[in-house]
Amino acid sequence: MKPIDYCREKAQASGSSFLAGFKFLSAKQQDAMLVLYAYCRELDDVVDECSDVNVARQTLAWWRSDLEKVFQAASVPEHPVNQALQSVAADFVLPQDELVELINGMEMDLHHVRYQTFEDLQYYCYRVAGVVGRLIARILGFQHQQTLEYAEKLGLALQLTNIIRDVGEDARMGRIYLPMDELQQFNVPAHTILSYTPTPEFAALMRFQFERAQQTYREAVASLPDADKKSQKAGLVMGSIYHALLLEIERDGLQNVLQYKIKIPSPRKMRIALWTWLFGFKP
């Protein structure tokens, strides 16, 4: 199996919203997005599927080592995703340090199950989502450096949406990604979340999280330079799909994230993608 075919199978098996916005791109850009997604997915699987923390840490160390070969012209990486990434990184000038930061972010999940402040959480979000936004912006192409800042902030908005959606699922793994000082502010003890017990206080906490995520989408889109709106359109499509998910979670009832996980059906994702491609994204 060719490395790109491995990446394609990895991506298609996920059913993720990540790829819905990229069907309008050139074949070369689509392949680059597939490779980037497969890279993220492989790292995420290390953390989610390794029950032994030491084994997971050693596996991530191996990924660091294999990633170094991606940037060495005379070396051939061992993993098929990194083999595919070698040409993608060269073609789109993807920085090694941003790809390393993704590994650093995944490693944080091995020893961080709580974040004291939003500032602490933002650092984690930068590593697992902000740099992904920047990498996507590089694949799509840009003229202004400000576009990288836009992409980083859009990545934060997407990650905040994921955190809201996954509160119950994370709690079942003993994780709370909501800042602990905000739990205290809204009088929500950790055991309320870990026991999946919705309360009025929890609903107020989630309203606060929703409004911050909503504002982050607005700030991100407003910061995109006009000259790069056309080239970055596919990223806006992805943002629009995740924003629709955020609104769906609110409509369903923010406290319900403790009980189940909201998803948007694929046909609706494609309708959102087409609408955004034609008419833009205004959160």
Side-chain angles (χ1 to χ4, degrees), residues 39-54:
Y39 176 76
C40 296
R41 186 75 263 164
E42 290 287 350
L43 297 178
D44 201 39
D45 287 349
V46 172
V47 175
D48 289 345
E49 296 178 4
C50 283
S51 56
D52 188 315
V53 172
N54 289 326

Side-chain angles (χ1 to χ4, degrees), residues 130-187:
V131 294
V132 176
R134 294 173 71 93
L135 290 163
I136 289 172
R138 295 180 192 281
I139 292 171
L140 297 179
F142 64 95
Q143 298 178 42
H144 294 276
Q145 197 70 15
Q146 173 63 28
T147 296
L148 292 177
E149 303 304 317
Y150 139 79
E152 184 179 319
K153 176 148 278 195
L154 185 62
L156 172 61
L158 268 58
Q159 187 62 23
L160 293 178
T161 302
N162 283 339
I163 287 170
I164 291 169
R165 178 196 62 191
D166 295 343
V167 168
E169 184 176 271
D170 289 331
R172 286 164 180 78
M173 294 187 288
R175 298 174 181 169
I176 298 176
Y177 286 97
L178 305 176
M180 300 308 293
D181 63 349
E182 293 174 6
L183 267 67
Q184 295 169 0
Q185 176 186 341
F186 285 89
N187 194 27

Side-chain angles (χ1 to χ4, degrees), residues 233 236-237 240-241 271-281:
K233 193 179 285 190
L236 291 169
V237 167
S240 182
I241 291 169
R271 288 196 299 272
I272 294 169
L274 181 58
W275 175 269
T276 306
W277 190 266
L278 294 174
F279 302 108
F281 172 36

Side-chain angles (χ1 to χ4, degrees), residues 3-4 28 31-32 35 70-71 77 81-94:
I4 188 60
K28 186 175 181 179
D31 283 349
V35 172
V70 169
F71 294 90
V81 168
N82 283 337
Q83 290 170 12
L85 185 59
Q86 193 166 39
S87 60
V88 168
D91 290 343
F92 293 97
V93 197
L94 304 184

Side-chain angles (χ1 to χ4, degrees), residues 230-276:
K230 184 175 181 181
S231 64
Q232 295 294 316
K233 193 179 285 190
L236 291 169
V237 167
M238 184 172 62
S240 182
I241 291 169
Y242 274 82
H243 183 253
L245 172 62
L246 180 68
L247 297 181
E248 188 65 32
I249 293 168
E250 184 202 23
R251 279 192 292 268
D252 183 73
L254 290 163
Q255 71 280 358
N256 291 332
V257 293
L258 283 175
Q259 310 299 326
Y260 50 83
K261 183 173 177 176
I262 292 288
K263 295 183 178 180
I264 293 181
S266 293
R268 186 180 170 201
K269 290 178 190 175
M270 292 313 301
R271 288 196 299 272
I272 294 169
L274 181 58
W275 175 269
T276 306

Side-chain angles (χ1 to χ4, degrees), residues 82-152:
N82 283 337
Q83 290 170 12
L85 185 59
Q86 193 166 39
S87 60
V88 168
D91 290 343
F92 293 97
V93 197
L94 304 184
Q96 183 175 356
D97 65 323
E98 291 183 358
L99 291 161
V100 169
E101 280 286 57
L102 271 165
I103 301 176
N104 294 338
M106 298 302 176
E107 194 166 38
M108 288 176 74
D109 279 330
L110 301 178
H111 52 76
H112 274 72
V113 293
R114 302 285 191 280
Y115 290 91
Q116 184 59 36
T117 67
F118 182 64
E119 184 178 21
D120 297 334
L121 181 64
Q122 272 188 292
Y123 184 50
Y124 167 76
C125 290
Y126 167 74
R127 284 180 151 181
V128 300
V131 294
V132 176
R134 294 173 71 93
L135 290 163
I136 289 172
R138 295 180 192 281
I139 292 171
L140 297 179
F142 64 95
Q143 298 178 42
H144 294 276
Q145 197 70 15
Q146 173 63 28
T147 296
L148 292 177
E149 303 304 317
Y150 139 79
E152 184 179 319

